Amino acid sequence: MPFSGELKNATFPEGFAWGAATAAYQVEGGWNVDGKGPSIWDTFTHQKGKIFQDQTGDRACNSYGLWEEDLKCIKQLGLSHYRLSFSWSRLLPEGTACNINKKGVAYYDRIINDLLTNKVTPMVTLNHFDLPQALEDKGGWKNEQIVDIFDEYAKFCFQTFGDRVKLWLTLNEPHVSANLGYEEGIFPPGLKEPGMSVYQVGHNMIKSHAKAWHSYNTIFRQEQKGLVSLALNSDWAEPFDPSSQDDIDATDRYMAFMLGWFANPIFVDGDYPAIMKSQIKARSEKQGFVSSRLPEFTKEEQNMIKGSADFFALNYYTSRKVKYSKSPLEMQSFKTDKEAEGIIDPSWPVPGVAWLAVVPWGLRKLLEYIKKTCNDPEIYITENGFSLMGPASLEDNQRCQFYRETLQEILIAIHQDGVDVRGYFAWSLLDNFEWACGYSVRFGLFQVDFENPEFPRTMYKSGKEYATIISCNGFINKKAT
């Protein structure tokens, strides 16, 4: 793969956060034990035909019973940071503090305390896709009441764990939750309501995040001195034909509908990108709607949302070449509103899951784009990884090369482009339940044997490679080419 610049400084800044990430539903298992309530992922995976080979996260990696083994993995890698998520319904089975599950609190207390004892800093995501089913039964993210309910949950977590947790993420990838859960229906709650619910859900998620941030800011920050953000996923996108103005404009829309949808309100001006607003409004009017299908923020809400993040948390996996895609007016959907088609360049390797073309240099370009468009924030790369179809060989040489090349691109972003990158979290610590793909796709630094009831963890070669990079804080005494 071509290298995008000259690597003059091969080490990361002092204090750089070296991490790996997991998510509760993907690793914990224990779906119905010790007082845990069901989540929307429990409900969804128990329906036939939703997941690869009807697999579920009922057991996953059994991290609920094998936390000590996960901790050994974290220590073997030499991580300074570990990103986990709380299962909302393990803590609050009905989604509210009316019923607090003490065994759930004890589980996360133990993880946090063990991490700190071993000098590992926890980064905690409050909700990583697994909304309590009890809240979904009341309308879930479509119901505006979720804003206050999420705020109460966030305050419970800040109050209970915030004396020790100093890095918080409210939501993970709201773009994915809204689009796959309410537009395409391949994630729970499995709704297909094209061009409508996706925007309402995104709207409520932004307000939920902002309200929780303000609660932290006004009630907890002075004493706890932590930081709060949300994890936003984005591709890097470039015009399919750089000489085509249609493709250039389509690329701008692609980035606005993917990253700008959430980043612009929070990091720029409190509102959706102008290009997104005008595009959806024009199509809505032509389709006979009296107003845009994209909800509007009030001035008060804009003021609440703008600046409601203490750092930028980025999940990056892949890139696209973008073509203009003219959409007939009678077709109402998120995709047709965008009028932009993302294409994988045939020269980009796709070693695992079909959507993930490996483009390390795209991350450098995306980091520079965020620096320029989002007021030069401090950035943590909270997910980035390389997939193989499972079961995968422990000699995962392609993944080793991927981590070397990706981390070199980040170094160039830091030292050459002046991007303020504070940390990197590999996805994932473990092979795990990869959503609709079940266990067919493997991202782990550690292999998990899902056929063995002990779920043994074995380090991949890429885990050893990552551990070496961490121990050197970069590429000391190595050629970076």
Side-chain angles (χ1 to χ4, degrees):
M1 284 171 266
F3 196 43
S4 75
E6 184 180 354
L7 188 60
K8 295 178 180 178
N9 189 336
T11 58
F12 286 82
E14 186 178 351
F16 190 81
W18 290 105
T22 59
Y25 186 77
Q26 293 179 271
V27 300
E28 284 183 3
W31 78 276
N32 63 347
V33 302
D34 289 345
K36 179 186 174 292
S39 76
I40 57 174
W41 270 96
D42 294 316
T43 302
F44 192 72
T45 60
H46 293 163
Q47 300 171 47
K48 295 291 184 184
K50 299 294 187 182
I51 306 296
F52 175 79
Q53 293 185 351
D54 289 329
Q55 293 169 346
T56 76
D58 289 1
R59 297 168 71 202
C61 307
N62 192 26
S63 289
Y64 187 69
L66 296 173
W67 159 244
E68 295 93 341
E69 298 305 309
D70 293 355
L71 182 60
K72 288 177 186 175
C73 297
I74 290 166
K75 292 168 71 174
Q76 276 184 266
L77 291 169
L79 301 181
S80 65
H81 289 64
Y82 178 59
R83 180 185 169 206
L84 66 146
S85 78
F86 288 165
S87 165
W88 187 343
S89 61
R90 191 179 298 285
L91 289 168
L92 308 177
E94 278 86 48
T96 70
C98 296
N99 178 8
I100 299 169
N101 180 19
K102 292 181 179 179
K103 289 185 177 179
V105 173
Y107 173 63
Y108 294 118
D109 269 336
R110 181 177 165 213
I111 291 177
I112 292 163
N113 293 340
D114 284 351
L115 289 170
L116 294 173
T117 297
N118 287 278
K119 296 182 170 55
V120 179
T121 300
M123 175 184 277
V124 173
T125 310
L126 294 177
N127 185 233
H128 195 124
F129 298 163
D130 51 347
L131 186 76
Q133 183 62 43
L135 297 181
E136 178 58 37
D137 292 342
K138 298 174 182 176
W141 289 111
K142 287 174 63 175
N143 185 341
E144 195 167 359
Q145 290 180 346
I146 196 72
V147 177
D148 290 331
I149 295 170
F150 183 80
D151 183 48
E152 290 301 316
Y153 166 57
K155 286 189 289 189
F156 167 79
C157 292
F158 298 150
Q159 179 70 47
T160 307
F161 306 102
D163 57 328
R164 291 153 291 152
V165 176
K166 306 302 177 186
L167 290 171
W168 294 98
L169 300 171
T170 54
L171 301 171
N172 181 74
E173 300 184 348
H175 179 283
V176 170
S177 292
N179 198 23
L180 299 190
Y182 297 83
E183 179 83 7
E184 298 184 26
I186 60 174
F187 274 24
L191 301 180
K192 297 180 181 179
E193 299 172 345
M196 296 296 292
S197 294
V198 63
Y199 299 127
Q200 186 60 54
V201 166
H203 201 68
N204 289 338
M205 286 181 159
I206 292 170
K207 291 195 290 184
S208 296
H209 158 78
K211 186 160 188 177
W213 183 90
H214 279 280
S215 289
Y216 189 86
N217 197 47
T218 57
I219 302 170
F220 300 100
R221 187 185 301 278
Q222 185 174 357
E223 182 178 346
Q224 296 184 358
K225 298 179 172 57
L227 302 173
V228 181
S229 187
L230 77 171
L232 301 181
N233 65 294
S234 185
D235 302 342
W236 171 244
E238 296 185 345
F240 182 84
D241 179 357
S243 66
S244 164
Q245 190 60 49
D246 282 345
D247 285 2
I248 292 169
D249 293 343
T251 303
D252 289 341
R253 288 195 301 275
Y254 188 95
M255 291 301 294
F257 274 70
M258 182 168 244
L259 184 62
W261 182 11
F262 298 94
N264 203 80
I266 292 164
F267 291 92
V268 183
D269 62 12
D271 202 1
Y272 296 116
I275 192 173
M276 187 177 184
K277 290 169 63 178
S278 62
Q279 180 81 358
I280 299 170
K281 183 178 182 181
R283 288 183 62 82
S284 297
E285 288 176 351
K286 290 175 182 176
Q287 290 164 346
F289 290 89
V290 295
S291 61
S292 177
R293 287 178 280 106
L294 179 68
E296 292 185 5
F297 294 117
T298 65
K299 285 295 181 185
E300 184 181 6
E301 287 171 342
Q302 289 179 23
N303 291 333
M304 175 185 75
I305 293 163
K306 181 182 177 182
S308 61
D310 301 314
F311 59 92
F312 198 110
L314 172 67
N315 295 357
Y316 168 80
Y317 286 96
T318 191
S319 294
R320 291 291 186 268
K321 295 290 181 72
V322 177
K323 271 184 173 180
Y324 170 54
S325 175
K326 184 171 177 58
S327 302
L329 272 177
E330 62 269 17
M331 294 178 65
Q332 175 192 308
S333 71
F334 182 82
K335 183 178 180 180
T336 54
D337 284 343
K338 187 167 54 176
E339 292 194 306
E341 180 186 3
I343 297 167
I344 293 176
D345 188 301
S347 70
W348 298 342
V350 184
V353 66
W355 59 265
L356 206 171
V358 178
V359 192
W361 56 260
L363 176 54
R364 176 193 172 190
K365 292 194 174 187
L366 181 57
L367 289 168
E368 188 175 17
Y369 176 86
I370 291 168
K371 172 185 169 69
K372 290 179 178 177
T373 60
C374 295
N375 292 311
D376 194 12
E378 298 174 6
I379 301 173
Y380 286 84
I381 298 162
T382 42
E383 284 183 31
N384 175 243
F386 180 102
S387 71
L388 292 167
M389 303 312 291
S393 167
L394 288 171
E395 296 294 311
D396 57 342
N397 292 307
Q398 281 183 291
R399 190 183 278 141
C400 292
Q401 180 186 2
F402 161 80
Y403 278 116
R404 286 193 298 269
E405 293 187 356
T406 297
L407 288 162
Q408 288 168 2
E409 294 291 349
I410 296 168
L411 276 170
I412 294 176
I414 293 170
H415 295 303
Q416 188 171 313
D417 304 333
V419 183
D420 189 2
V421 183
R422 298 297 181 97
Y424 177 87
F425 292 74
W427 185 270
S428 172
L429 179 70
L430 307 171
D431 286 343
N432 59 52
F433 179 84
E434 283 295 339
W435 308 119
C437 296
Y439 301 100
S440 67
V441 176
R442 308 294 172 92
F443 277 91
L445 295 164
F446 285 80
Q447 182 189 78
V448 178
D449 183 353
F450 295 104
E451 302 304 316
N452 185 323
E454 301 298 318
F455 298 95
R457 285 90 157 113
T458 308
M459 188 184 280
Y460 284 108
K461 185 176 180 180
S462 60
K464 298 172 186 176
E465 181 75 24
Y466 188 46
T468 299
I469 295 169
I470 291 171
S471 67
C472 297
N473 199 38
F475 297 91
I476 296 172
N477 297 328
K478 287 191 177 184
K479 289 183 179 180
T481 56

